Amino acid sequence: MSEAPDRPDRSEQPDRLPMEWIAGSLKRERARVGLSLSELAKRAGIAKSTLSQLEAGGGNPSVETLWALGVALGVPFSALVEPPVSGVQVIRAGEGPTVASERADFAATLLSSCPPGARRDIYHLRTEPGAPRESEPHIPGTVEHLVVCSGQVKAGPRGETVELNPGDYLTYRGDVPHSYEALLPGTTFVLVMQHV
């Protein structure tokens, strides 16, 4: 008889839920659509006290709760959990706004939501140590998103490059000079080019 694979003890996982972002997003979106606490709670199928607690920055909502609230507000899930970002954003492996499911051993970490009207190209790239790949600016408004799969890469805008390991995420303006440099053999990464 085979043994069941070890599962991480959920009680030992750190609470990385960005409650202050969620609270602010819920208040902002509820005010935008003009719903009372009671009406939003009713539409989402959750207790008014739960919604009140979330808007106060407390609680630990599940994916299902946030999804129901997003549907009731008419916004994507990402609109409730995405943090405000600066020009260059790095999310290290194991970091980022993460929400667990109540129904499965599943957790979602939002890296980036797609803004309205955006177009995206997705690439899987392989690179080896040597000369860095210098890239000239792309069309105005281009933003690049990079997730390292294997190896190690140094990437980003000129003067702001960051060393990244497997699982790390980086976003930056692609309409300025930027580069990619493999620091280890067998480096691969996924690159999403967003054109607005």
Side-chain angles (χ1 to χ4, degrees), residues 17 63 77 81 96-101 106-110:
L17 200 56
V63 168
F77 172 84
V81 298
T98 301
V99 184
S101 172
F106 174 91
T109 301
L110 177 69

Side-chain angles (χ1 to χ4, degrees), residues 76 78 82 110-120 145 192 194-195:
S78 60
E82 184 171 52
L110 177 69
L111 298 179
S112 173
S113 62
C114 184
R119 296 174 297 157
R120 289 188 172 166
H145 304 267
V192 178
Q194 171 185 310
H195 310 284

